[in-house]
């Protein structure tokens, strides 16, 4: 699952590929925003954790992983 996280006062967004489902990611975001946890904690497919303070979240974009195209075929 491809996840893009916008952080307030940061010039670039965070991009990561996660093995978590969209529902799991959405639940983690909701828990962080409702105050159950002060951090949004996600894990990428390499096992690294990404922690973002909930009060600094600007947006979270959850999307499907796209297959990368290789070659010179006509589109």
């Amino acid at each position: 699952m491809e996840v893009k996280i916008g952080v307030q006062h940061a010039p670039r967004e965070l991009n990561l590929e996660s093995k978590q489902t969209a529902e799991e990611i959405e639940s983690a975001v909701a828990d962080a925003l409702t105050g159950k946890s002060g951090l949004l904690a996600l894990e990428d497919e390499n096992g690294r954790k990404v922690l973002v303070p909930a009060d600094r979240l600007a947006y979270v974009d959850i999307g499907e992983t796209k297959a990368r195209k290789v070659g010179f075929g006509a589109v």
Side-chain angles (χ1 to χ4, degrees):
M1 187 67 51
E2 180 183 12
V3 182
K4 295 178 184 177
I5 303 170
V7 180
Q8 295 177 9
H9 309 296
R12 297 187 337 188
E13 64 189 12
L14 300 172
N15 294 316
L16 66 118
E17 294 287 333
S18 179
K19 292 181 182 178
Q20 295 172 298
T21 65
E23 291 80 21
E24 291 172 336
I25 295 169
E26 187 175 348
S27 176
V29 171
D31 288 346
L33 292 176
T34 58
K36 293 182 182 177
S37 65
L39 292 172
L40 171 61
L42 299 175
E43 188 171 328
D44 72 0
E45 37 183 44
N46 296 325
R48 292 180 291 201
K49 284 205 170 206
V50 176
L51 303 172
V52 180
D55 61 343
R56 297 288 181 217
L57 286 176
Y59 63 89
V60 178
D61 181 19
I62 305 168
E64 292 292 325
T65 304
K66 294 182 181 177
R68 298 181 187 209
K69 296 180 182 179
V70 177
F72 298 99
V75 179

